[in-house]
Amino acid sequence: MKFSTNNKKINEIKSDCLMISIFNDGKLRGCAKLVNTANGKLIDDFIKNKDIQGKIGQTRIIPVTGKSYKRIVLVGCGKYEDFSQKNYRKAVISALNKISHTNHKSVVSLIHDGVEKIDNPEKAYRLSRVLAESWHSISYQYTTTKESNKKNLGLRKIEIGTNGKKAIREIQTGLKHGDAIGKATQLVRELGDLPANICTPTYLASVARKIVSKNKSAKLKVLNEAQMKKLGMDSLLSVTAGAKEPAKMIIAEFFNGPKSQKPVAVVGKGITFDTGGISLKPSNKMDEMKYDMCGASTTIGLLQMVTELNLPINALFVVPACENVPSSTATLPGDVVKSMSGTTIEILNTDAEGRLILADALTYAQKYKPKLIIDMATLTGACVVALGAHHSGLMSNSDQLAEKLFECGQTTDDVTWRLPLTEEYADQIVSNFADVANISTRGSGAGTITAGCFLQKFVGDYDWAHIDIAGVAWAEGANKGATGRPMGLMSEFLINESKI
Ligand code: BES
Ligand code: MN
Ligand code: ZN
């Protein structure tokens, strides 16, 4: 897809389609008004006859003659006063979706937010980024194991009509960022949707290798089990103990910022399949545990995004990856292991495995003396109970970092909600036989928080945040599939960090 700006006057725009906004009060605003006047008030007639009511998601394609553009696309935008970024995203997604199934090759968006010219630089950046992201969201197709999912989309060019020269630079940056974020989000979704017999730890490493090969500032290290053993990663190795499939610790360095700047470390849970191990899960919906590597896929997606944009940032990406399966060599409930940090862990439930691989990954990340550490993990079913599919669970030992991540979620509509990590919860994970237990031994509540408290034991004094994405990383039911979250929020965070 080619994204660009078009600064021609409306009457001189050459394109197959012009998209304009229709609000539910029927009043034409900004560019929509100009297009209406230029076409003999044609749109007034559509509104009067209720051919379109301006509901979000509604679209109408109208042919016009004698113009440099061939079609006007009326895009329902809802209530004018409520025209948020979220509603804008919904509106452009349905419009682009509709156009992509026609033979039209190009479209110019004049939707903006009901104004003639976007001259607010921040708004210009946001609208453009969302437009580009939206294209990649609707054009995602999972075809690797189902070729018939392939649709031929004819659209080749998406432009933003600027009706002048204001904020052009911000629009271009927004389109560039949205393009990179959108493509990386497609990768996150593809890796999530791939079954565990294709998307193995070795496969994840090969994807990371390909990304790293395209940027000179990026370097990849992949540790095998023998190397992990040497480093004392017995916590991670306890999870892979039952598996034939080899475990990998994937580490990508992207040092593209000032030499003096400490790296931001991103860690993602990469359980390529979670059966629960000896603490076997029930079979209902167990297939969804192929998505237990969505923290890992997001980490790899972020690596792709920063390398493609060549952001001036120092960043470290760590993906502990393995399967959690039962066998005669699998870890048994009650087994005690020593983590890389030296802390001993009593594994009371082999299904609480994510925290075990993350413990060693978090310790490993500290070798780089990072500025801060953020981990993402499909960590607890309890998070799905607490927050459902809307907010990710956010936990942190730093109010400042938590605040920043919360804001990034708000800005990108990839929202989080913070949960407390106070010591009463940490007191729930005591063990009579090790420094810590991998599940609560004092009461069954607050499973998301006790998991967070477990991770906290492995981050020392570093500023750290944990994002539990168990409820948001994939959708179930008829729309089963990876969502790509939390790419939006984490992209925002890394882009902001690259500006410091
Ligand atoms: N990967 C699961 C968490 C999960 C479950 C995510 C369902 C999304 C949907 C994790 O490894 C797990 O099994 N957690 C256990 C922890 C428990 C044994 C303390 C859980 O949530 O049941
Ligand atoms: Mn589990
Ligand atoms: Zn798991």
Coordinates of all heavy atoms in Angstrom, one line a residue, residues 269 274 281 289 292 349 351-355 378-382 384 438-439 470-471 474, ligand 1:
K269 N 6.4 -13.3 27.1 CA 6.1 -14.7 27.4 C 5.9 -15.5 26.1 O 5.0 -15.2 25.3 CB 4.9 -14.9 28.3 CG 4.5 -16.4 28.5 CD 3.3 -16.5 29.4 CE 2.7 -17.9 29.4 NZ 1.5 -18.1 30.3
D274 N 0.5 -24.3 25.8 CA 0.4 -24.5 27.2 C -0.7 -25.5 27.5 O -1.9 -25.2 27.5 CB 0.1 -23.2 27.9 CG 0.0 -23.3 29.5 OD1 0.4 -24.4 30.0 OD2 -0.5 -22.4 30.1
K281 N -4.5 -29.1 31.9 CA -5.7 -28.3 31.7 C -6.8 -29.1 31.2 O -6.6 -30.1 30.6 CB -5.4 -27.2 30.7 CG -4.6 -26.0 31.1 CD -4.4 -25.0 30.0 CE -3.6 -23.8 30.4 NZ -4.1 -23.0 31.5
M289 N -4.6 -22.3 23.8 CA -3.3 -22.1 24.4 C -2.2 -22.0 23.4 O -1.0 -21.9 23.8 CB -3.1 -23.2 25.5 CG -3.9 -22.9 26.7 SD -3.4 -21.3 27.5 CE -4.9 -20.3 27.3
D292 N -0.6 -18.7 23.8 CA 0.2 -18.4 25.0 C 1.6 -17.8 24.7 O 2.4 -17.6 25.6 CB 0.3 -19.6 25.9 CG 0.3 -19.3 27.4 OD1 -0.1 -18.2 27.7 OD2 0.6 -20.2 28.2
N349 N 2.2 -25.9 41.0 CA 1.3 -26.1 39.9 C 2.1 -25.9 38.6 O 2.6 -24.8 38.4 CB 0.1 -25.2 40.0 CG -1.0 -25.5 39.0 OD1 -0.7 -25.8 37.9 ND2 -2.2 -25.4 39.4
D351 N 1.0 -25.6 35.8 CA 0.3 -24.7 34.9 C 0.6 -23.3 35.1 O 0.2 -22.4 34.3 CB -1.2 -25.0 35.0 CG -2.0 -24.5 33.8 OD1 -1.4 -24.1 32.8 OD2 -3.2 -24.5 33.9
A352 N 1.2 -22.9 36.2 CA 1.6 -21.6 36.5 C 3.1 -21.4 36.0 O 4.0 -21.2 36.7 CB 1.5 -21.2 37.9
E353 N 3.2 -21.7 34.6 CA 4.6 -21.8 34.0 C 5.1 -20.5 33.4 O 6.3 -20.3 33.3 CB 4.5 -22.9 32.9 CG 4.0 -22.4 31.5 CD 2.6 -21.9 31.5 OE1 1.8 -22.3 32.4 OE2 2.2 -21.1 30.6
G354 N 4.2 -19.6 33.1 CA 4.6 -18.4 32.4 C 5.6 -17.6 33.3 O 6.7 -17.1 32.9
R355 N 5.2 -17.5 34.6 CA 6.1 -16.8 35.5 C 7.4 -17.4 35.7 O 8.4 -16.8 36.0 CB 5.3 -16.6 36.9 CG 5.0 -17.9 37.5 CD 3.9 -17.8 38.6 NE 2.5 -17.8 38.0 CZ 1.4 -17.6 38.7 NH1 1.4 -17.4 40.0 NH2 0.2 -17.6 38.1
T378 N 0.5 -13.5 28.5 CA -0.9 -14.1 28.7 C -0.8 -14.9 30.0 O -0.7 -16.1 29.9 CB -1.2 -15.0 27.5 OG1 0.0 -15.8 27.2 CG2 -1.5 -14.2 26.2
L379 N -0.7 -14.2 31.1 CA -0.3 -14.9 32.3 C -1.3 -15.6 33.1 O -1.1 -16.6 33.7 CB 0.5 -13.9 33.2 CG 1.6 -14.5 34.1 CD1 2.6 -15.2 33.3 CD2 2.2 -13.5 35.0
T380 N -2.5 -14.9 33.3 CA -3.5 -15.6 34.2 C -4.9 -15.5 33.7 O -5.4 -14.5 33.1 CB -3.5 -14.8 35.6 OG1 -3.9 -13.5 35.4 CG2 -2.1 -14.9 36.2
G381 N -5.6 -16.7 33.9 CA -7.0 -16.7 33.6 C -7.8 -15.7 34.5 O -8.8 -15.2 34.1
A382 N -7.2 -15.5 35.7 CA -7.9 -14.6 36.6 C -8.0 -13.2 36.0 O -8.9 -12.4 36.4 CB -7.1 -14.5 37.9
V384 N -8.6 -12.5 32.9 CA -9.8 -12.5 32.0 C -11.1 -12.3 32.9 O -12.0 -11.6 32.5 CB -9.9 -13.8 31.2 CG1 -10.9 -13.8 30.2 CG2 -8.5 -14.2 30.7
N438 N 5.2 -21.0 43.3 CA 4.7 -20.4 42.0 C 3.2 -20.2 42.0 O 2.7 -19.7 41.0 CB 5.2 -21.2 40.8 CG 4.4 -22.5 40.6 OD1 3.8 -23.1 41.5 ND2 4.3 -22.9 39.3
I439 N 2.5 -20.5 43.0 CA 1.1 -20.1 43.1 C 0.8 -19.7 44.6 O 1.7 -19.9 45.5 CB 0.1 -21.3 42.8 CG1 0.4 -22.5 43.6 CG2 0.2 -21.6 41.3 CD1 -0.7 -23.6 43.5
A470 N -3.8 -11.7 29.0 CA -4.6 -12.9 28.8 C -6.0 -12.7 28.2 O -6.4 -13.5 27.4 CB -4.7 -13.6 30.2
G471 N -6.6 -11.5 28.6 CA -8.0 -11.3 28.1 C -8.0 -10.5 26.7 O -9.1 -10.5 26.1
W474 N -6.3 -12.2 22.2 CA -7.0 -12.9 21.1 C -8.5 -12.9 21.3 O -8.9 -12.7 22.5 CB -6.5 -14.3 20.8 CG -6.9 -15.3 21.9 CD1 -8.0 -16.1 21.9 CD2 -6.2 -15.7 23.1 NE1 -8.1 -16.9 23.0 CE2 -7.0 -16.7 23.8 CE3 -5.0 -15.2 23.7 CZ2 -6.5 -17.2 25.0 CZ3 -4.6 -15.8 24.9 CH2 -5.4 -16.7 25.5
Ligands
BES1 N1 -1.5 -19.3 29.9 C1 -2.3 -19.5 31.1 C2 -3.2 -18.3 31.5 C3 -4.4 -18.1 30.6 C4 -5.5 -19.0 30.8 C5 -4.5 -17.2 29.7 C6 -6.7 -18.8 30.0 C7 -5.6 -17.0 28.9 C8 -6.7 -17.8 29.1 C9 -1.3 -19.6 32.3 O1 -0.1 -20.3 32.1 C10 -2.0 -20.4 33.4 O2 -2.3 -21.5 33.1 N2 -2.3 -19.8 34.5 C11 -3.0 -20.5 35.6 C12 -2.4 -20.1 36.9 C13 -2.9 -20.8 38.0 C14 -2.4 -22.3 37.9 C15 -2.3 -20.2 39.3 C16 -4.5 -20.0 35.5 O3 -4.7 -18.8 35.2 O4 -5.3 -20.8 35.7

